[in-house]
Amino acid sequence: MFKKYQIILASLAFLALASRPVPAQEKFLQLIVEPNAVQLRGPQAVYSLLVTGKTSDGRLVDLTHDAKYDSSQAKVAKVTQTGVIRGLADGKAEITVEARGRTATVRVDVQGSQDQRAYHFENDIIPLLNRFGCNSSGCHGFSQGQNGFKLAVFGSDPDYDFNSLVKEGRGRRIFPAAPDASLVLTKASGQLPHGGGIRIHVGTDEYNLIRGWIAAGAPRGDPKAPGVVKIRVEPKERLLRMKGAQQLRVIATYSNGRDVDVTAHARYQANNDGLASVSADGLVSVLDTPGEVAVMASYANCVDTFRAIVPRAEVIASYPAFPERNFIDGHVLRRLKKLNIAPSELCDDSTYLRRVHLDLIGTLPTADEARRFLNDKRANRRELLVDDLLDRPEYADYWALKWSDLLRVDRQALGHKKAHAFYRWIRDSLAKNKPFDVFARELLTAEGPIEEVGAANFYKVMKKPGETASTISQVLLGVRIACAECHHHPFDRWSQADYFGMTAFFTPLGLRPSARGEAVIAQGDPITKHPRTGETVHAHALGDTTSPERKLGDRRLILADWMTSPKNPYFARNLANRTWAHFLGRGLVEPIDDVRDTNPPSNPELLDALSKHLIDAKFDVKQLIRAITRSRTYQLSSKPNATNEKDEQNYSRALFRRIDAEVLLDMVSQTLGVPERFDGAAPGTRAIQLWDSKVNHYFLKLYGRPQRVTACECERITEPSVSQVLHLLNAPEIHAKLTHERGNIARWVRQKKSDADLVDEIYLTFYGRMPGEAERKASQAFLQANQGQRRQAAEDLAWTLMNTLEFSFKR
């Protein structure tokens, strides 16, 4: 809550700063006004000007809100102080624009201003319901509506909305004879009590548009009228100074080729509130953090994106030359240089040792392993370490846990035997280093007895074809299509037809009895209907623009061919992004399973390169891991420098990362030398080996183990809590391990007669490093002062190390 409060305050503050004049010392060589000529056609036509100043170094600075505007014929065309031109009467006019001592003129031609407007419910009214959130799921788009008034969510069913507004309740919501008395206007404008507050103010363009539609008899509109086919945001990209601003313009193109300025009626959303905010009218205000932010504009089920690149204000006069260990570093360094950010130094060997152990196998290095590595003088010791870890069984254990979360290995849904068969297929695939395209194909096309064909259990966990399609899309492509089941995706291009086209691949599947038990079988040729139009939807892949045809047989074979193809625009990129996010703490696309045009990658060139590397390696995931872990970027220190202390997006330093619940529990058991016991699991089973996510365990639940009821990465809770801190400090179970007679502490106290050796052993075991000089002196002094209770003192020292950030976080 506090963080959200800070974001709100920051957004309000910078919205105020956005209209602040550009510093007087900034000199502009040129004033650019776009467009330089405007044609306004039809009644109430408007067009927004964008005013830009060009500096001596070629930078473009938005001056739209700083300029002054004047119309030569105010009765023909008037202009607001934010540069919006409105046609009032047929004729011609000139708009004079003045900013920073320079002027420019814009020719305006107004025609058809007095024509009678042909209102159209879908083109005119639904965009306003979208803009003001009236049909959102939190308002009248809620499944039960609000106060007896329900709209289709996000305008997904215009016929339903028209009937709700015009016909339902004997037409009580509109009053053509006295439009201003219409309930829809008096409620929305706050003249009558309204739970949603004031959405539209009296006298505004939006109010007058709805009023005019009602006065015209609330027509449905010509069904053959042109509709919006696309929108474009202008400008597409801009380099902005910290705390700078940029006004956007949104143009809708109709099916007859006509362009209309819809800036005032579009919806906007930034993909990173920590970098920028955007006002309801499309004014983007960036904060004081370097990086890249995308702002989505949405109108009439069409979307487009503006991208702002925000470098640090201080330019690095002589950018240092950093060595590049592979292709990854080049892409990262080019982006950092563009942002005036220098990367941190390389991490030391002990940090790398611990980091790569936890990232690769979810297991701490032992004290002996740490000693060997820290004493290794070979130049390629880090690369050799990765090769060794990739061959260890813990690699398959740890990554099987991660994929079991995503693919929902759920004992409650499958039963013990079937869930274990599903898990064994996942783990065996990873142990064999099965190419990921083969892994995906086996999952997609699995059939037969589910106790024998492990991957087939996936189709028992999924209850409906639509759930299967959305899970496959999210896990294997990183694309969320679930909300397109009921309406057009609000932030992407996916329609209900796209959703049901993917669903149709799985409608022939069923669980049927066989001689060898329950089996997954594809049979029949079921027809999938569009829920709103009733039209037949043939199976087709996302983005498939070819004419859909009836596909006989097991349709999944066609889907598998498309999905695992090197030409697939999502498959390799999704795996590359997921793998990168695991090792670097943040995806190039973030969230990692929300890939869409309006949420672009922070470094598109790097994501392309990682995808190509994966394809060239024939989807060998270990080769991708080797490339990432050998890069200088992965091996950077978490210690910031003066240039990158605010950067958390561009991989200029290692990020502090929470450790997974299962890994942390194993770390506690490993460092203290007392294994954990799990109900129903064999003695010695580690938490990362638990295939059953429903094993009852308080520690795992407290630290955010997912329940595997969705395919979203967000199921795993990564936010720290006070309860977690208190548990690690005070839990009787952890104290019992700490003081166990056969635990590590008791054993070391017996074996290590020297306090120096005992301190080294504890630090190597808990941190994977030797103690620093100050740490060594303080620890030995503590043990010396408690020689009569040496074991308890050693336990206290171990307990202290366990309750530090260095233990509980990757860094």
Side-chain angles (χ1 to χ4, degrees):
M1 180 63 72
F2 180 69
K3 183 177 180 182
K4 290 181 179 178
Y5 182 69
Q6 285 182 313
I7 291 173
I8 292 170
L9 288 179
S11 299
L12 292 173
F14 285 111
L15 282 175
L17 285 171
S19 60
R20 183 179 60 186
V22 176
Q25 64 270 22
E26 187 122 45
K27 301 297 183 182
F28 296 105
L29 299 182
Q30 185 180 2
L31 186 67
I32 304 169
V33 181
E34 298 174 305
N36 58 15
V38 174
Q39 292 183 338
L40 298 178
R41 298 292 181 261
Q44 304 169 12
V46 299
Y47 207 91
S48 306
L49 299 178
L50 292 180
V51 182
T52 306
K54 188 173 185 179
T55 65
S56 57
D57 58 359
R59 286 188 305 105
L60 300 176
V61 179
D62 181 42
L63 299 176
T64 305
H65 287 249
D66 301 312
K68 294 182 179 179
Y69 305 89
D70 185 58
S71 173
S72 64
Q73 298 290 334
K75 293 183 179 181
V76 173
K78 71 174 183 179
V79 59
T80 71
Q81 287 311 302
T82 56
V84 180
I85 306 172
R86 178 181 304 281
L88 300 177
D90 290 1
K92 298 181 184 296
E94 282 193 349
I95 304 297
T96 302
V97 183
E98 189 276 327
R100 310 318 263 176
R102 295 182 177 273
T103 59
T105 57
V106 177
R107 301 186 305 278
V108 181
D109 180 15
V110 182
Q111 295 182 23
S113 60
Q114 306 308 310
D115 293 351
Q116 184 175 357
R117 179 163 186 160
Y119 289 98
H120 193 281
F121 179 74
E122 194 166 341
N123 288 343
D124 295 329
I125 306 304
I126 283 187
L128 295 184
L129 300 177
N130 288 337
R131 162 69 186 269
F132 295 108
C134 306
N135 54 20
S136 69
S137 57
C139 198
H140 296 288
F142 178 56
S143 57
Q144 276 77 47
Q146 297 286 354
N147 295 324
F149 179 34
K150 183 181 185 311
L151 294 169
V153 65
F154 301 131
S156 56
D157 191 340
D159 291 331
Y160 179 90
D161 288 347
F162 181 77
N163 291 332
S164 293
L165 270 172
V166 177
K167 300 178 181 179
E168 191 179 77
R170 300 181 180 179
R172 71 188 184 93
R173 296 188 177 95
I174 63 168
F175 192 10
D180 291 301
S182 298
L183 194 62
V184 67
L185 280 176
T186 55
K187 284 270 195 177
S189 62
Q191 298 174 71
L192 289 177
H194 179 224
I198 297 175
R199 311 304 297 166
I200 304 173
H201 291 278
V202 176
T204 60
D205 290 346
E206 295 79 16
Y207 180 95
N208 291 334
L209 177 55
I210 297 175
R211 184 191 182 283
W213 171 70
I214 295 172
R220 178 67 174 83
D222 185 355
K224 297 182 180 179
V228 177
V229 292
K230 66 178 180 180
I231 67 171
R232 69 177 186 272
V233 174
E234 299 170 344
K236 290 293 294 178
E237 183 176 306
R238 194 57 61 87
L239 187 73
L240 298 182
R241 283 188 167 182
M242 288 183 177
K243 301 183 181 181
Q246 175 63 53
Q247 176 63 50
L248 304 181
R249 177 170 61 209
V250 182
I251 305 297
T253 300
Y254 284 74
S255 52
N256 62 355
R258 181 185 176 212
D259 283 350
V260 176
D261 186 331
V262 296
T263 306
H265 296 162
R267 291 181 298 136
Y268 305 92
Q269 181 178 347
N271 73 340
N272 190 330
D273 291 334
L275 292 180
S277 63
V278 56
S279 73
D281 297 319
L283 179 64
V284 179
S285 302
V286 301
L287 307 183
D288 59 352
T289 301
E292 182 172 320
V293 63
V295 175
M296 177 206 72
S298 172
Y299 181 84
N301 288 335
C302 297
V303 294
D304 197 15
T305 307
F306 162 77
R307 300 179 71 163
I309 300 172
V310 187
R312 280 179 62 253
E314 299 83 6
V315 177
I316 301 176
S318 180
Y319 198 84
F322 294 99
E324 298 177 15
R325 298 196 170 186
N326 59 19
F327 68 94
I328 291 172
D329 297 328
H331 289 294
V332 172
L333 286 167
R334 280 189 288 275
R335 177 54 58 106
L336 293 179
K337 189 173 183 179
K338 189 174 185 179
L339 295 171
N340 297 327
I341 297 173
S344 294
E345 298 298 323
L346 286 177
C347 68
D348 57 31
D349 277 345
S350 60
T351 300
Y352 182 82
L353 170 72
R354 187 175 191 272
R355 181 188 298 173
V356 81
H357 264 78
L358 292 175
D359 282 343
L360 261 177
I361 64 173
T363 304
L364 280 175
T366 65
D368 289 340
E369 288 170 338
R371 284 190 184 92
R372 283 197 301 271
F373 181 75
L374 297 178
N375 291 327
D376 191 345
K377 302 304 180 185
R378 291 175 294 180
N380 63 339
R381 57 187 174 278
R382 294 190 179 188
E383 291 86 348
L384 295 173
L385 173 62
V386 169
D387 290 340
D388 176 63
L389 294 176
L390 287 171
D391 289 336
R392 285 176 54 166
E394 293 96 328
Y395 168 81
D397 291 337
Y398 182 42
W399 289 83
L401 173 70
K402 296 179 69 66
W403 282 104
S404 294
D405 290 343
L406 294 175
L407 297 177
R408 296 169 60 182
V409 178
D410 185 356
R411 176 179 53 80
Q412 286 188 346
L414 294 170
H416 187 283
K417 191 173 182 179
K418 297 181 181 71
H420 189 256
F422 193 7
Y423 170 80
R424 290 305 309 176
W425 172 75
I426 295 172
R427 191 194 179 284
D428 290 347
S429 298
L430 291 162
K432 296 173 184 175
N433 195 32
K434 185 180 293 179
F436 192 74
D437 58 338
V438 177
F439 177 87
R441 178 177 288 276
E442 289 182 6
L443 178 71
L444 285 168
T445 61
E447 61 179 346
I450 59 179
E451 290 188 8
E452 301 174 14
V453 183
N457 286 279
F458 175 75
Y459 297 100
K460 184 175 176 63
V461 177
M462 302 298 115
K463 303 302 182 185
K464 297 184 294 185
E467 186 181 8
T468 306
S470 61
T471 298
I472 285 290
S473 299
Q474 190 166 349
V475 173
L476 298 183
L477 303 177
V479 177
R480 300 179 182 180
I481 64 169
C483 63
E485 178 181 7
C486 302
H487 51 81
H488 195 288
H489 196 300
F491 308 127
D492 210 340
R493 57 191 175 113
W494 309 123
S495 65
Q496 285 182 283
D498 293 310
Y499 175 87
F500 286 98
M502 284 291 287
T503 298
F505 284 112
F506 303 100
T507 51
L509 285 185
L511 287 166
R512 296 173 177 87
S514 73
R516 291 181 291 173
E518 200 172 24
V520 172
I521 299 173
Q523 64 181 27
D525 187 26
I527 295 175
T528 300
K529 295 284 189 179
H530 194 291
R532 185 164 60 86
T533 66
E535 297 178 354
T536 298
V537 180
H538 298 300
H540 64 276
L542 292 176
D544 187 353
T545 57
T546 60
S547 299
E549 298 176 357
R550 195 77 167 271
K551 296 174 173 65
L552 303 177
D554 192 344
R555 303 168 184 171
R556 296 177 300 162
L557 298 173
I558 299 168
L559 179 63
D561 288 342
W562 170 80
M563 189 168 289
T564 60
S565 167
K567 296 181 181 179
N568 186 293
Y570 307 104
F571 183 70
R573 290 168 66 86
N574 169 61
L575 181 59
N577 187 54
R578 284 182 181 274
T579 308
W580 178 264
H582 173 79
F583 284 96
L584 275 297
R586 177 185 174 86
L588 290 157
V589 175
E590 188 69 27
I592 61 174
D593 52 7
D594 192 14
V595 174
R596 47 187 164 86
D597 292 342
T598 53
N599 185 33
S602 59
N603 191 327
E605 297 80 13
L606 175 56
L607 184 55
D608 289 342
L610 289 168
S611 305
K612 182 180 184 301
H613 180 83
L614 185 59
I615 292 169
D616 291 345
K618 301 188 184 303
F619 293 97
D620 183 340
V621 178
K622 287 187 177 181
Q623 291 299 333
L624 178 62
I625 290 174
R626 286 188 176 95
I628 293 173
T629 54
R630 291 175 182 177
S631 70
R632 188 181 192 279
T633 302
Y634 175 75
Q635 299 181 34
L636 292 176
S637 168
S638 60
K639 184 179 180 180
N641 57 43
T643 71
N644 69 5
E645 57 187 356
K646 290 186 177 181
D647 176 41
E648 294 187 355
Q649 183 188 40
N650 301 289
Y651 315 105
S652 60
R653 56 185 169 88
L655 300 177
F656 267 67
R657 294 175 281 151
R658 263 282 309 275
I659 293 174
D660 295 339
E662 298 88 344
V663 176
L664 186 59
L665 179 56
D666 283 345
M667 289 167 58
V668 171
S669 299
Q670 177 182 331
T671 54
L672 298 180
V674 181
E676 187 73 7
R677 291 298 305 269
F678 301 101
D679 294 342
T685 300
R686 300 179 62 215
I688 64 169
Q689 295 173 314
L690 287 176
W691 56 269
D692 180 8
S693 65
K694 299 300 191 294
V695 169
N696 187 31
H697 199 283
Y698 180 74
F699 185 102
L700 297 179
K701 180 179 180 180
L702 179 65
Y703 277 84
R705 173 187 60 182
Q707 291 299 301
R708 299 179 181 172
V709 295
T710 73
C712 185
E713 285 274 357
C714 58
E715 261 204 31
R716 182 174 289 279
I717 300 171
T718 57
E719 290 294 324
S721 69
V722 173
S723 298
Q724 293 168 359
V725 175
L726 293 176
H727 185 79
L728 208 56
L729 281 168
N730 302 312
E733 299 84 357
I734 294 177
H735 183 262
K737 290 179 183 288
L738 187 68
T739 59
H740 200 287
E741 286 295 331
R742 292 189 296 275
N744 279 343
I745 308 302
R747 180 168 56 84
W748 293 335
V749 169
R750 291 193 301 267
Q751 294 175 352
K752 308 291 182 182
K753 303 305 180 184
S754 162
D755 287 346
D757 291 343
L758 179 57
V759 170
D760 287 352
E761 193 73 18
I762 292 175
Y763 268 84
L764 284 168
T765 301
F766 281 82
Y767 290 165
R769 65 173 175 83
M770 299 293 282
E773 191 58 34
E775 292 170 324
R776 186 189 304 278
K777 288 180 179 179
S779 299
Q780 290 184 210
F782 178 70
L783 291 174
Q784 276 298 154
N786 294 276
Q787 276 300 307
Q789 296 178 310
R790 189 167 185 258
R791 176 173 161 183
Q792 183 177 338
E795 291 169 358
D796 289 345
L797 177 59
W799 175 84
T800 301
L801 267 57
M802 184 182 295
N803 284 280
T804 60
L805 291 178
E806 184 172 352
F807 183 80
S808 298
F809 282 75
K810 301 177 190 176
R811 64 179 184 91

